[in-house]
Amino acid sequence: MTDMTSQATPSPDEKLDSASARRARIMGGVLIALALLVLFGLNVTPGEVATFRLTTPRDAIQVGNLVVPGGPFNMIAAALLAFLGVRQFLRGGAKWTNLSLGIGLAILVMAFLVWATAGKSFSLTGMLQATMVRAVPIALGGLAGVLSERVAVVNIAIEGMLLAGAFTGALIGSLLGGWVGMFAAILVGGGFGMLLAALVVTYRMDQIIAGVVINLFVLGVTSYVSSQVFSEYRHLNNAPTFRAFKIPLLGDIPVIGPMLFNQNLFVYGALILVAISTYYLFHTKNGLRARAVGEHPRAADTLGVDVYRTRYIHVTLGGMVAGFGGAWFTLGSVGRFDENMTNGRGYIGLAAMIFGRWHPVGALSAALIFGFADSIQQKLALLNTPIPSEFLAMAPYIATIIVVAGLIGRSKPPAANGTPYTKE
Amino acid sequence: MSSGPDLKEVNERMRGLMARTTHGRDDFEDLVIVPLFAVVVALIFGALIMLATAVDLPTIGRSFVALAVGSVGSLSAWSETLTASIPLVLAGLGLGLGFRAGLFNIGAEGQLLMGGLAAVVAGFTLAGLPWIIHLPLTLLIGALVGALYAAIAGFLKATTGAHEVISTIMLNLISYRLLDWLLRQPFIQREGRSDPISKDVPPSAELPRILDFIDVNLRLHAGIFVMLAAVAFVYWMLFRSKIGFAFRASGENPDAANYAGMNAAFIIVLAMGTAGALAGLAGATQVTGVLGRASPGFSAGIGFDAIAVALLGRSHPVGILFAGILFGALEAGGRQMQVSAGVSIDLIGIIQALIIIFIAAPLLVRAIFPWGFRKRTKRVGDA
């Protein structure tokens, strides 16, 4: 039961079919319910329009605002949802279930935004920029997960590695400057990666327990030091932060510019790391060997790949990526460490990895969705919607559950995921 | 696994599961020596960490004295230790039962919060009933709500395969927000307060303090009997009942359990539900026995400490009882340590994490203390 997704029982084919058909019907029902929700729950006062600002007055290139008539838009959204739902309900195959669900959720989000913005104006570009920023730790956490799960080590410890990176970034950054802090965070993250590898590869500890324990340990140490030391010596917890810098020309493109080309080091770093690891895992010899270790360690071993060494290296690399992602919390935003400041982002990163089907680009895309959910709740607080802020704050977590529950049926982990390997 | 009859692989997998979920009943070393060494090594590491954060030697000495005095040094220390251990043991029993069924439930914290809040609400809405009905009903409602909250994760796992580690963690995070919101609702919020705090539990739903005839300040309450009853019940359920056998079978080998005609989905939901009921009961005893009301974060991490308790107790009810008392002692002693030596109670969290590392990786303990163990013939997968 240690692997992330395997069902408790392997079902025969017919059983699977009926299960997926049932799932399709359930999704159809959900979509119809969403249509009713949009129709009756998100009704806009007639005549009100939602104004989405695309540029700020300071931008070099100006684009007009996007003005959407609230009432008609949500009518159409409800109709589309109802169509998808009925179609899914009547003759949905497994093939279309996820696509319909994805489109349906996108329509729901649009309708929701229009409803919340009706009669007001809202900076769409600002929200997209925040989405990118908030996706960074999740994407890096997900990437760390991809690196270690591709060699069949389940990494629940991402949360702890992020927290360790955040803490080290704040402490070393305060003492020796931002760059040193960042490298120290990477090293400490790598250290915890190596510790995880040692516990599960050499000492064959249960992988999930090892991860949970590392999380508890890091939480304990960082909370202890911050209440024992930081509260007394405040200068130890006051690191410089990396500011956003604009890439010339590209940064001036409306909407995309601020989102992709006017960010800080961590956003660029995350994008570059995703690109590098995609190339590494799927287009190099060592990447192929790593994946072989994740799929069939015994075969890889027979062909001369050192399974233990490969696992050590990749879990450590994953730890380094997570350490870099952790530094985002302090060096990339506020410069100050707070107890448990990662607040479950590591686990969301894990969900992003599953959603992204153990692929770096997939993990990044999933992280963007979570980042969107995260930023939407922050921005909506400014719009004074009647929805309590607590419920908006739940949005990313509920999204995670939906993703893990809704899409797990189709994504497949590396075959040997979670199982220890004993050399003969 | 279905690809080929690779018996060796199946065996290895099973042994991995057993290592985490079962105990060798006659294995004195695994049950006594490993935990003992784990605690000692963790305490030594704790001292090293204090040294590393510039705590001077006399203070370290004083903090260990405070830890001992505050946990077992007096009647009131014992009372505090046992009071702290009640919710830990209850929630730990639920988690241990889940581990036995192959479910790694991290969600005790959220189940405990929801169960505790439900008990508070039941407490003040049903005020006026005689205590003999009111108190059990309050506890029961707490357990029920905890069970329902946990069953969400069980249901998702059974129907869609959503991994319980992720879904229970998300349910924890959701429960914090939900609690904050519920505590502001006029129905629950105390009259005349603007901060999120619930109304008080009326005396007829409170667990009575059992040592107040000696000293009114002793906080030990009747929840200890609930705890002991739960230990007996879980023991009976796991080792004497049919459903407990199904739990253990599906935890140790889901495929075999399935072929034997056990309904895997039903077992998952039921095991999660039972675990949640025990966590909810932990929350209910905490609010009716100690706190008297619900406030944001009233669970204070008990649900996470209970994971450590269940692991330390090797998922065995009696083991969990002793592990819970040990963790209760660390908790009570840690408070004393913070007051009289000025060392942050967060140190206890580190010590607890270290204890589990050493417990869960016996090979590591054997590597540190080679003389503590009989020489063994080397076996493959001996973990």
Side-chain angles (χ1 to χ4, degrees), chain A residues 25-49:
Chain A
R25 274 204 304 284
I26 293 174
M27 287 305 166
V30 168
L31 285 169
I32 293 171
L34 290 182
L36 293 175
L37 178 75
V38 170
L39 196 60
F40 297 109
L42 303 180
N43 51 351
V44 181
T45 321
E48 275 193 338
V49 293

Side-chain angles (χ1 to χ4, degrees), chain A residues 1-2 4 9 203 205-206 208-209 213 220-221 223-224 227-228 347 388 390-391 394 397 401 405 408 424, chain B residues 8 13 20 53 104 156 160 163 166 169-170 173 177-178 181 254 258 311 342 344 346 350 353 357 360 364:
Chain A
M1 298 307 289
T2 45
M4 299 298 291
T9 54
Y203 293 105
M205 192 168 158
D206 182 279
I208 291 181
I209 294 181
V213 159
V221 170
S223 304
Y224 169 73
S227 59
Q228 188 81 13
Y347 299 113
E390 287 90 355
F391 283 89
M394 284 179 206
Y397 311 133
I401 292 187
I408 208 80
E424 306 231 302
Chain B
K8 193 164 191 93
R13 221 178 125 90
R20 145 171 132 214
T53 51
F104 204 70
L156 287 174
T160 68
H163 199 276
I166 293 177
I169 287 168
M170 292 302 136
L173 293 166
R177 307 295 187 289
L178 199 59
W181 180 74
N258 195 42
L311 292 174
S344 164
D346 290 316
I350 305 177
I357 292 188
L364 199 62

Side-chain angles (χ1 to χ4, degrees), chain A residues 22 50 101 150 156 169 204 239 254 283 337 344 423:
Chain A
R22 198 180 62 219
L101 182 65
R150 278 285 174 181
I156 299 274
R204 289 198 294 279
H283 300 280
F337 179 82
K423 202 174 159 65

